[in-house]
Each structure stands twice: as structure tokens, then as C-alpha cells.
Amino acid sequence: MGTAPAACYNYALTPGKTLNVTILTRYTLKQIWIPATIAAIVISFVVMLGSIGQELGTLMKELPIAHITVMDISLISIYTLPTLAEFVFPITFLLGIMLTFGRMAQFSELTAAKAAGIPLRRMVLPVVVAGAGVSVACFVVMDRVEPLAYKRLVTLLGSDMPHRITFDVFPTGVMHEFGDWRVYIERREKDRSLHDIIVLTRDGDEVTAYYAETARQFTEQGVPRIEMENVQIVGPGWTNYTERITKTLPTLDSIAFEGEREGMPLTTLLREEKKTRVAYAESGNFNSLKSLVAIRREIGDRLSFPLMCLAVSIVAAPVGARAKRSGRSYTFASGLAIVAAYFILRSSMRYIVPPTLGSAIFITQFPNLVLVVVGLILIWRVDRV
């Protein structure tokens, strides 16, 4: 029956009960962390791939795909990982608890524990304490690490990568947008020289075309420039020719990304909520109200997702303990049912417009409260299993 039953029988037969319960606690928590860690790696990998694909899809609408390097994808992966904490922490901890207690029930280890005089409620208590610790860790990651990672992700995607664009990455034979320029390159040599290049620039309503036999891009004192040779310049109603002309490349606009509040810690969000609340009270503007509701929901999310770890620790153990000999299919199905019920209830609560910050926090915490109530009822009845 494994280590747990031996610890349980020692608890019943020897006076050192506290030590043996500690051994049993270590055994239980160790069994939880192993599947939870594996699940975290798998879920993080799958969700991160989807998130990276979404970010790159947005980016490739603005940038040539040749401009995106392996290092860029690696940095996107690193910066995306902390943003998954709100899903990875509670879901993987839930699966770890259910698989552990389901396996212990399947191999009669819970039966041995009860026979040794250890109530299952006593075995659940360390799991709940661990859930509180995981909640604290999840909050720290969401409130400290995630905003920093998100800011760096936005800087990379919206500023650093667009500003690194050169004509060298543009496919030939296609007209490209480069700031307020339109650029066409017929061919590119190995020495990076450009041949038969067309550049269209706009000054107000006037468009000027530059037809150059050859061109090269270079940087002078940190300013990107292009030097064109044998250039025919065509403007509205006039034509000119020059052997050589140098032009400064246009400044590229940063790519805008939604979700500015994701880059704010909780203290900043609270200040923004107060400022937006005052602005709405003074103006009554609908946009101010919309921003106020969004900020309040974000504050609620910062608290509800970490506390979900504690909530699932209360409900998962007694549900897993009821697996008996049903096997892993029961525990997986039950875990998925708990997660689905949580997010369905959460989604239904999103239709309620919170009139105050307190109500917004209660609305986002309501699914956690439901899990806690159900879990406490099951814990109270767990020794009857």
C-alpha cells in the first residue's frame, strides 16, 4: 500500500503521533506537486503556443516575417509565461490534488489512513494550507512579475522590433509600406545593394516618386538613411535627375497593443480606479464609466484568480477522495467539471455591472465562494466515504 499506510499504522500504534502525521503530510504534498508540476509544464506549453501565435499574428500584419528572429520568439515566450499564472496555478494545483487523492483512494491508502485513526479531514488540512501558500505565490507573480513582463513584451513587439526594420528584410518584387513611404525593390544582391528601387513619398497631398538604379541603406550617427544613385525624381508636373541623393528614413510608428492595465500592479490600479471614479463623477461621460468598470473588474481579477488556488484546494481533496476505484478517468472528468463550472459561473457574473469597487470584488470572488462552500460541505462529509 506504499508509504502512506505505513505512516498511518505507525500513527495508531506509537506515541509519536505528531511526527508520523508530519510524515503523512509530506507524503501527500509530495504526491501533489509531482502531477501538478507536470500539468503546469504541459498546460503552459500549450497555452503559450496559442498566445505566441496570436501575438505573432498581430505582429506579422505590421512587420515582414523575415524580420522575426528565433531570439524574438524566445523573448516573447519568456515574457508571455508570467501572464499565464492566473490560469496555470489554480488549474494545475487542482489537478495535482485530485490525482493524488484519487490515486490514494484507488489503492486503498485512504482506507488505511482511516483504519489507523487518522480522519480524512486531518489529511485535507495541510492541502488547504498549501493552497493558501500557492495563492500568495500566484498573487505575487500576477501583481509583480506579470506587469513587468507585459511591459517588456509590449516594448519588444510594439517598439523594438518595428524600429529594427530595414529594407534588407523586404521581399523583392512587392510594394511595401515603410512609415509614410511606399517602397518597391526589384532585386537585392549578396552585398546588400538594392537595384531598381522605387520610393514614393508624400508631402501633404503631393506625391514624389524616386526611381533609382541602385541604393544602399546605412546608419549615420544612429539615424537610418538610404543613398540612391542615378535617380529620376518625378513630382506633380515636374521631373528631375540626379546622380546621387541621400534621404533619412521615416520614423516608424509603434504598434499599439490593448491591455494597458495588465502592466499595472494592484496599487497603481487602485489609484487609477479612484482617479477614474472622480472623473466620471464630474463628467458623467460614458467612456469614463466604461473605463471605471474595466478597472474594477481588473482589480477583482487580481484578487480572484490567486484565491482560486485556495478555493480549489478545499473542494478538490474531498472530490478526489470519492474516486475509490473509479480510476484516473473519474478524477480527470471531475477536475474538468470543476474548472468548467468555475469559468461558466465566472462568465455569467461578467454581465453584472459593478456599481462600486466592493461589488466588483464580490462579483469576481463569487465563484470562489461557491467552491469554498461546496468544498466545506464535502470535507464535513468526507469521512463517510
Side-chain angles (χ1 to χ4, degrees):
M1 292 186 184
T3 306
C8 296
Y9 287 124
N10 287 339
Y11 175 86
L13 299 176
T14 65
K17 295 184 178 181
T18 302
L19 176 61
N20 292 298
V21 170
T22 302
I23 293 174
L24 181 58
T25 298
R26 290 176 185 172
Y27 171 81
T28 304
L29 294 179
K30 180 181 178 181
Q31 298 304 309
I32 291 174
W33 294 127
I34 294 174
T37 302
I38 296 174
I41 294 173
V42 173
I43 293 176
S44 297
F45 180 75
V46 173
V47 177
M48 189 167 58
L49 283 181
S51 180
I52 292 174
Q54 182 179 1
E55 300 291 355
L56 291 180
T58 302
L59 198 61
M60 283 188 292
K61 295 178 182 178
E62 307 287 342
L63 305 180
I65 189 171
H67 185 66
I68 302 173
T69 65
V70 174
M71 179 58 70
D72 292 328
I73 297 176
S74 300
L75 289 175
I76 292 172
S77 303
I78 294 172
Y79 296 150
T80 300
L81 193 59
T83 65
L84 307 178
E86 57 199 54
F87 301 105
V88 172
F89 273 78
I91 293 176
T92 57
F93 191 56
L94 166 70
L95 292 177
I97 295 172
M98 296 203 63
L99 286 173
T100 297
F101 277 83
R103 188 192 63 78
M104 292 175 72
Q106 183 180 7
F107 291 99
S108 302
E109 294 181 355
L110 296 181
T111 302
K114 289 194 294 183
I118 302 178
L120 295 186
R121 272 176 269 184
R122 175 61 183 81
M123 298 179 63
V124 170
L125 181 59
V127 178
V128 175
V129 175
V134 175
S135 292
V136 172
C138 182
F139 176 78
V140 171
V141 172
M142 289 184 62
D143 193 55
R144 298 298 175 183
V145 182
E146 180 180 338
L148 180 61
Y150 182 79
K151 288 180 180 179
R152 293 189 176 182
L153 177 64
V154 170
T155 300
L156 174 66
L157 297 179
S159 179
D160 293 349
M161 292 178 64
H163 292 169
R164 294 202 313 258
I165 292 181
T166 65
F167 288 176
D168 295 332
V169 301
F170 287 149
T172 57
V174 181
M175 184 68 77
H176 300 278
E177 293 186 7
F178 190 84
D180 56 359
W181 287 12
R182 302 295 182 270
V183 181
Y184 175 88
I185 302 170
E186 180 62 31
R187 76 180 192 277
R188 180 186 297 106
E189 300 295 341
K190 293 183 179 179
D191 62 359
R192 299 174 63 184
S193 62
L194 310 175
H195 295 263
D196 299 324
I197 180 173
I198 302 173
V199 176
L200 303 178
T201 64
R202 179 182 294 275
D203 184 9
D205 294 331
E206 295 185 357
V207 177
T208 303
Y210 298 82
Y211 299 88
E213 289 185 6
T214 61
R216 69 181 184 91
Q217 184 175 325
F218 64 97
T219 301
E220 185 178 47
Q221 296 180 348
V223 179
R225 305 181 189 275
I226 185 169
E227 182 183 66
M228 294 179 282
E229 296 181 353
N230 300 325
V231 187
Q232 182 179 8
I233 308 173
V234 179
W238 59 272
T239 301
N240 196 1
Y241 175 83
T242 183
E243 291 185 359
R244 183 178 287 106
I245 186 173
T246 300
K247 293 186 67 65
T248 301
L249 299 184
T251 302
L252 298 180
D253 295 331
S254 297
I255 302 174
F257 286 84
E258 297 181 356
E260 181 182 357
R261 289 181 296 275
E262 294 183 19
M264 298 181 184
L266 183 60
T267 52
T268 305
L269 283 171
L270 291 171
R271 288 196 297 268
E272 286 294 315
E273 191 274 341
K274 182 178 180 180
K275 184 169 65 176
T276 308
R277 175 162 33 93
V278 172
Y280 172 67
E282 293 176 351
S283 65
N285 185 275
F286 176 75
N287 289 332
S288 297
L289 175 61
K290 186 177 178 180
S291 298
L292 182 60
V293 171
I295 292 173
R296 286 172 174 172
R297 284 176 173 166
E298 181 67 26
I299 293 172
D301 289 343
R302 292 291 177 89
L303 298 174
S304 65
F305 278 117
L307 288 177
M308 182 185 175
C309 301
L310 178 60
V312 299
S313 69
I314 296 174
V315 72
V319 172
R322 292 175 177 269
K324 295 184 179 180
R325 299 187 181 277
S326 301
R328 294 183 178 180
S329 59
Y330 169 85
T331 55
F332 270 115
S334 300
L336 292 176
I338 292 174
V339 172
Y342 179 90
F343 283 101
I344 290 174
L345 183 58
R346 177 183 172 81
S347 298
S348 63
M349 300 296 289
R350 302 289 287 188
Y351 292 100
I352 303 175
V353 178
T356 63
L357 177 59
S359 62
I361 294 175
F362 175 79
I363 289 171
T364 54
Q365 292 290 355
F366 185 74
N368 289 334
L369 295 175
V370 172
L371 288 184
V372 169
V373 171
V374 173
L376 290 176
I377 295 174
L378 292 177
I379 290 175
W380 177 66
R381 296 174 55 87
V382 72
D383 285 307
R384 302 181 185 181
V385 176

